[in-house]
Amino acid sequence: MPRILLARGDITVQRVDAIVNAANSSLMGGGGVDGAIHRAGGPEILKECRLLRAERYPDGLPTGEAVATSAGRLPARWVIHTVGPVYSRSTDRSGLLARCHTSSLGVADALGARTVAFPAISTGVYGYPLDEAATVAVRATLGAETRVEEVRFVLFDERAHSAFERALRAALDSK
Ligand code: APR
C-alpha cells in the first residue's frame, strides 16, 4: 500500500518520478492540468503522444486507461496520461475513475517509478464533484497492488485540498 501525501500547488513542478496527466482520449492536449503539463513540458511530450496515437491508439486512449511518455522539460521523469470519466448524474462512473488510478499505478510499476503525483482527475472540465472524486481516488490508491512507495495528490486549490483531506482521513479511519 503506497504512502499517500497531499500537496497544494502545481503538479508540473513536483519532483517525483512520474506525474499523472488528466488527459482526454485524443492525447492532443487541452486545458487545465493537461494544458499546464504540455506548456511546461514542451513539444517533446506532444510528439510522443502523436506517436502513441499512430502506433497504439488510433481511436484514442480509452477512458480509465493510462500510457506513459517522457516528461520533456519537467522535473519528473515521466508523464502518465490517463483519461478520466466525464461526470454523469445518471450513470455511476466511479469504477472508471478508480481505474484511472490503478491503471496509472500499473504503468508506474512497469516504468519502475517509485513516487507518483496525481491531480484531482475529472474534477475540472469533466465536472466530477470533488468529495466523490477524492473518495474514489484515495480508496483506489490505498487498495492498489503496486510497488509505488509514495503517491502525492497535488491539489490546485483549497477546496480540492480539503476534499482530499476529508477523504484520506475517512479512508484511514475505516482501516
Ligand atoms: N496542477 C495541479 N492541478 C491542476 C493544475 C495544475 N497545474 N491545473 C489544473 N488543475 C486541477 C483542476 O483545478 C482540477 O481540480 O486539476 C483538476 C482536473 O481538472 P482538469 O484539468 O480540467 O481535468 P479533468 O476535469 O479531468 O478534464 C479533462 O480537460 O484539460 C482538459 O484535455 C483535458 O479534455 C480533458 C479535460
Side-chain angles (χ1 to χ4, degrees):
M1 180 172 89
R3 182 178 59 254
I4 292 189
L5 304 178
L6 304 183
R8 269 286 322 263
D10 181 347
I11 200 165
T12 64
V13 302
Q14 299 300 317
R15 313 197 78 76
V16 290
D17 294 335
I19 63 169
V20 175
N21 179 24
N24 59 59
S25 61
S26 78
L27 293 177
M28 292 295 105
V33 70
D34 197 5
I37 287 172
H38 281 280
R39 246 190 328 277
E44 182 57 36
I45 300 175
L46 191 59
K47 211 165 91 191
E48 289 183 42
C49 286
R50 283 211 177 88
L51 263 180
L52 285 166
R53 281 296 313 277
E55 291 168 1
R56 284 174 57 190
Y57 299 101
D59 303 328
L61 183 67
T63 301
E65 294 200 19
V67 70
T69 65
S70 73
R73 296 194 295 261
L74 297 175
R77 285 182 64 189
W78 297 285
V79 176
I80 296 172
H81 307 263
T82 192
V83 181
V86 175
Y87 183 68
S88 156
R89 245 183 289 281
S90 52
T91 322
D92 174 7
R93 292 178 175 161
S94 58
L96 281 168
L97 183 57
R99 268 192 54 217
C100 285
H101 296 82
T102 51
S103 306
S104 296
L105 290 170
V107 169
D109 282 337
L111 295 166
R114 289 287 174 271
T115 55
V116 177
F118 282 93
I121 297 171
S122 286
T123 66
V125 168
Y126 283 0
Y128 224 100
L130 271 169
D131 281 316
E132 280 181 59
T135 301
V136 171
V138 165
R139 283 193 183 150
T141 303
L142 285 173
E145 290 290 316
T146 174
R147 288 189 305 284
V148 169
E149 289 151 10
E150 176 191 302
V151 165
R152 197 181 294 185
F153 285 105
V154 181
L155 293 324
F156 208 44
D157 55 40
E158 197 40 52
R159 244 170 40 84
H161 190 269
S162 337
F164 272 76
E165 255 179 346
R166 283 192 297 276
L168 183 55
R169 196 174 309 119
L172 294 176
D173 288 351
S174 68
K175 280 233 167 254

